[in-house]
Amino acid sequence: MTKIAFIGLGNMGGPMAANLVKAGHAVTGFDLSEASRNAAAKTGVSIAGSISQAVRETECVITMLPAGSHVIYVWDELLGFVDPGTLVIDSSTIDVESARKVHGFADKAGCLSLDAPVSGGTAGAAAGTLTFMVGGSDGAFSRGKHLLDAMGKKIVHCGDAGAGQAAKICNNMILGVSMVAVCEAFVLAERLGLSHQALFDVASTSSGQCWSLTSYCPVPGPVPASPANNDYKPGFMASLMLKDLMLAQQAASASGATTPMGAQAAQLYSLFEKLGHGAEDFSGLIRMLRGEAVRAG
Ligand code: NAD
């Protein structure tokens, strides 16, 4: 049993903390939102009145927050209250620069740290089947691995500080670009009189095969569980895809990498969001490419 503090009990953090409780750990949580605190309390998380109360005398602190600025703010505060040697893990999706900055804060405080963003969405968080992409020292990884195991089914140590965030944004750039390509292919097939099923049957077993097609098909029919069969209810919200594509663009520009397809995908998702579709599943972009996604609301 490990004494854990969990900061950020939202859509992802709430169920992740609940899985740590189920695995037998003592979890104290804090969130600014009363609704999130109440929901977490129902799953067995002890609720603290502040970050400082939550993290005192814990062996590990996990944060699951919206963006880099929140993580910098929260780590700066919590590192003033933890004992040296505490392991601090951030599982939010944030920019690589901020991730490396907070690893530096932890180092200065004599703490071990990991960046450990996830893929698998809210369904994976609830089921405990997330994939964790982890950056940090071998020592920090071996201390934290069993805790990540309680929340996920695949844990990959990607390298040193920031490597987890780097893996996350590279993966999601592939996802964003491949989804645009799959959507475009279905729109072209429709114009050419080719059925959805025929394109799927060919491309899913040919060189066009990819996850966006075979697991998350953006038209209803071929993959019954994909959000296209449920009026594009998320799933993975278009606004979160845009967030990840913007993080990839920020990293590309800071590192001098050339990513023209990632830039194009970011522009398309930005337009989709501006038209009011940010809360829909990201595969709904096909409706914009057909000219159907007029301004929402
Ligand atoms: P969310 O908005 O539901 O949860 C974030 C929580 O952080 C909120 O409850 C908020 O009140 C809390 N918070 C913000 N500032 C705080 C502070 N200073 N102190 C305490 N609590 C604070 O977001 P989410 O969907 O849970 O996503 C969390 C992270 O996970 C994001 O970085 C997101 O990009 C990433 N992510 C989300 C998904 C998904 O499908 N939702 C999938 C993969 C990764």
Side-chain angles (χ1 to χ4, degrees):
M1 193 267 284
T2 303
K3 283 173 82 179
I4 302 166
F6 206 114
I7 314 295
L9 301 164
N11 292 323
M12 294 293 290
M16 289 165 73
N19 281 328
L20 288 167
V21 172
K22 273 191 212 153
H25 300 295
V27 184
T28 304
F30 177 71
D31 194 294
L32 293 177
S33 141
E34 192 183 352
S36 297
R37 292 196 301 267
N38 291 342
K42 288 190 184 130
T43 68
V45 174
S46 312
I47 300 300
S50 65
I51 289 177
S52 60
Q53 262 185 26
V55 304
R56 277 210 180 93
E57 290 171 28
T58 52
E59 296 152 80
C60 173
V61 182
I62 302 176
T63 53
M64 192 56 168
L65 298 163
S69 55
H70 304 87
V71 176
I72 290 174
Y73 176 84
V74 167
W75 278 47
D76 194 31
E77 179 171 352
L78 73 87
L79 286 164
F81 298 97
V82 295
D83 293 329
T86 302
L87 173 64
V88 191
I89 303 175
D90 178 50
S91 281
S92 328
T93 303
I94 67 170
D95 57 290
V96 176
E97 202 182 323
S98 298
R100 290 190 175 139
K101 187 170 181 158
V102 296
H103 275 282
F105 290 176
D107 255 6
K108 254 198 196 147
C111 291
L112 293 172
S113 55
L114 294 171
D115 53 289
V118 299
S119 105
T122 48
T129 55
L130 294 169
T131 295
F132 282 87
M133 295 148 259
V134 189
S137 68
D138 289 343
F141 182 73
S142 57
R143 273 265 308 272
K145 167 101 176 20
H146 73 289
L147 301 177
L148 304 181
D149 280 332
M151 300 180 281
K153 73 166 192 291
K154 178 146 196 193
I155 321 295
V156 184
H157 189 194
C158 300
D160 280 338
Q165 296 294 350
K168 166 84 188 175
I169 58 172
C170 290
N171 177 70
N172 278 21
M173 188 172 73
I174 297 173
L175 176 62
V177 169
S178 66
M179 181 54 80
V180 173
V182 171
C183 289
E184 287 186 359
F186 275 108
V187 171
L188 177 59
E190 288 164 2
R191 293 293 168 104
L192 297 175
L194 179 64
S195 76
H196 290 161
Q197 193 64 48
L199 174 59
F200 182 85
D201 289 345
V202 171
S204 62
T205 53
S206 304
S207 43
Q209 191 275 332
C210 64
W211 189 90
S212 293
L213 176 71
T214 55
S215 295
Y216 217 80
C217 190
V219 295
V223 177
S226 77
N229 299 278
N230 192 20
D231 201 26
Y232 300 97
K233 290 199 178 68
F236 185 45
M237 279 198 293
S239 59
L240 287 174
M241 172 48 80
L242 176 61
K243 173 192 169 185
D244 293 355
L245 286 167
M246 296 308 290
L247 290 175
Q249 285 308 291
Q250 191 182 334
S253 114
S255 65
T258 306
T259 55
M261 301 301 288
Q264 190 67 49
Q267 279 186 12
L268 286 167
Y269 277 103
S270 171
L271 181 57
F272 192 54
E273 186 181 59
K274 284 201 181 88
L275 287 168
H277 300 279
E280 294 171 17
D281 188 75
F282 79 114
S283 61
L285 187 85
I286 191 167
R287 299 203 279 204
M288 186 177 86
L289 296 175
R290 283 196 196 109
E292 289 173 2
V294 289
R295 190 171 289 281

